[in-house]
Amino acid sequence: MEKRLERLTALILAGLVLMLSAGFFIGEKKDFSENENRYLASFPHFSLERVVSGAYMEDWNSWLADHFPFRDFFVGAKTETETALGKKEINGVFIAEDGYLIEEYREPANTERIAGTLRKFAGELGEGQPEPKLMLVPTAFYVYREKLPEHAPWRDQMETAQALYTASGMEAIDCSRALLTCGEENLYYRTDHHWTTLGAYQGYLVFCEKMGLEPVPLEKLIPQVVTEDFKGTLYSKSGDYSHPGEEITIFTNPADRLTVEYKDTGEITDTLYNMEYAQKKDKYSLFLNNLHPLVEITNETAETDRELVLIKDSYANSMVPFLVRHFKKIYVFDTRYYKDGPSAFIAEHPGITDVVLLYNMNTLDTDTGIRGIY
């Protein structure tokens, strides 16, 4: 009886191995993981040189791991098991209170280099050109610190921000206190590292105060919920697939008459939103149609004739819709992709009156765009 049970167990295990193996080789191989929001490893390219270096086997390991049958199920099950056992940090993401996933803030390693780059950019702007301002936005790690797990290591983002404000010599647009004290709950997405449009509005209010502008009251804007199923980058990074989708709300001003030109593709439109992204995993990219080196926005009915250069990361994308009311033109630069240097562009466009750099504190330390701002 005991031997018969052993044989049955062995047969079941062998059958499972064969089923998984068959599923691996005959199952559909995806190029992109919706849950993880990333491209999966491609089939390894063979060459003798890669075999000798070990790169070929490394690629095999990556390909096998990425295309294992029921991968999403096993990743989710692993995370559920770890959280059930009390683990509060998974892959650099804290499982925080009130359903929030909050990305860890690591000790910055490149503060001096970034400060030097910012100083160099300011020095590139000649006499008669606008003096640049710097806006460093705290993330949920700083603003929602009380939601972090009890033993989460604390690092003060705004201490680093203050050091950069001082070292850069630029005037600061510091919205950290406004975010801490505004009383709004929904300032950051629960499953994503970005601020929500309400968080961006709080940043916009501080921006207006520093720039001498009269902000448009929120009640004069038209809100629209464009999706209720947003599952962002931290949902993907943590593997915690138990979180429900959340809303993305956009705001439009009926007084605006916009022309939006994407210089890399030549596309011209009259909206700051690409609603096709609302049907995709990467829903935040509906703001400013994802990533582009340079976007030129003209508002025929703007309140002023001022022209703004905005050098930024993706945090700025959801704040731009509030800014367009106040500027005849906004030139939006993503210097990860724009290679000609905004300082030269500014010199060639004498109508530019304002220059602002806007970055979030969590990715500032590793943002390759910082190196290209001048």
Side-chain angles (χ1 to χ4, degrees), residues 19 30 33 40 45 48 60-61 77 79 112 137-138 140-141 143 155 163 166 177 223 234 245 259 265 273 366:
M19 285 176 60
K30 296 181 179 180
S33 170
L40 301 175
H45 170 68
L48 185 59
W60 260 108
N61 287 335
T79 301
E112 290 186 14
V137 181
F141 182 89
V143 176
R155 300 181 182 94
T166 301
R177 180 168 177 79
L234 303 183
T259 301
T265 64
Y273 308 105
T366 55

Side-chain angles (χ1 to χ4, degrees), residues 26-292:
I26 67 175
E28 180 187 0
K29 303 297 185 290
K30 296 181 179 180
D31 295 324
F32 187 81
S33 170
E34 288 285 338
N35 276 333
E36 296 176 78
N37 198 28
R38 69 177 181 88
Y39 285 96
L40 301 175
S42 55
F43 191 80
H45 170 68
F46 176 83
S47 72
L48 185 59
E49 182 182 351
R50 291 175 60 77
V51 171
V52 172
S53 69
Y56 183 66
M57 289 309 299
E58 288 180 7
D59 287 352
W60 260 108
N61 287 335
S62 297
W63 187 77
L64 290 169
D66 275 2
H67 298 278
F68 191 81
F70 311 112
R71 173 182 167 77
D72 287 347
F73 168 79
F74 286 116
V75 169
K78 174 179 177 292
T79 301
E80 285 185 28
T81 301
E82 289 176 332
T83 54
L85 292 172
K87 190 171 182 180
K88 293 294 186 180
E89 184 272 322
I90 298 170
N91 200 21
V93 178
F94 291 112
I95 313 299
E97 294 179 8
D98 299 328
Y100 277 89
L101 299 173
I102 297 179
E103 193 166 26
E104 178 184 8
Y105 177 64
R106 300 182 185 277
E107 194 71 39
N110 300 299
T111 302
E112 290 186 14
R113 178 180 60 77
I114 293 169
T117 302
L118 294 172
R119 283 195 302 271
K120 183 174 181 178
F121 171 73
E124 289 286 327
L125 300 183
E127 187 176 347
Q129 292 179 333
E131 294 187 4
K133 295 179 175 61
L134 180 61
M135 185 172 185
L136 300 175
V137 181
T139 68
F141 182 89
Y142 179 84
V143 176
Y144 287 163
R145 66 187 79 172
E146 77 284 353
K147 298 183 188 296
L148 291 170
E150 185 177 353
H151 299 295
W154 174 249
R155 300 181 182 94
D156 192 338
Q157 290 182 345
M158 298 317 292
E159 184 177 293
T160 302
Q162 291 302 327
L164 286 171
Y165 286 138
T166 301
S168 70
M170 297 184 191
E171 183 179 346
I173 302 177
D174 185 357
C175 63
S176 58
R177 180 168 177 79
L179 289 166
L180 278 171
T181 60
C182 76
E184 288 280 357
E185 276 297 312
N186 190 26
L187 298 176
Y188 295 87
Y189 294 108
R190 283 177 166 79
T191 64
D192 192 71
H193 67 286
H194 290 101
W195 55 6
T196 63
T197 41
L198 287 177
Y201 184 78
Q202 294 301 318
Y204 158 74
L205 294 177
V206 177
F207 180 99
C208 287
E209 180 183 356
K210 292 291 185 180
M211 302 290 282
L213 300 167
E214 183 69 32
V216 179
L218 202 59
E219 56 268 21
K220 289 192 175 181
L221 303 175
I222 300 173
Q224 179 186 357
V225 176
V226 294
T227 181
E228 296 179 341
D229 193 33
F230 176 43
K231 298 173 182 176
T233 55
L234 303 183
Y235 174 95
S236 303
K237 187 177 180 181
S238 68
D240 188 353
Y241 304 149
S242 64
H243 285 255
E246 50 189 326
E247 292 182 354
I248 292 180
T249 301
I250 64 172
F251 291 88
T252 53
N253 191 327
D256 292 334
R257 297 292 180 271
L258 303 178
T259 301
V260 183
E261 182 176 359
Y262 299 96
K263 291 295 188 177
D264 55 333
T265 64
E267 180 185 359
I268 299 176
T269 181
D270 61 356
T271 177
L272 297 166
Y273 308 105
N274 182 349
M275 292 305 180
E276 292 180 6
Y277 281 101
Q279 309 304 319
K280 300 179 181 180
K281 171 67 169 66
D282 188 16
K283 299 181 191 300
Y284 185 83
S285 289
L286 64 88
F287 295 101
L288 279 188
N289 194 22
N290 202 358
L291 304 175
H292 295 272

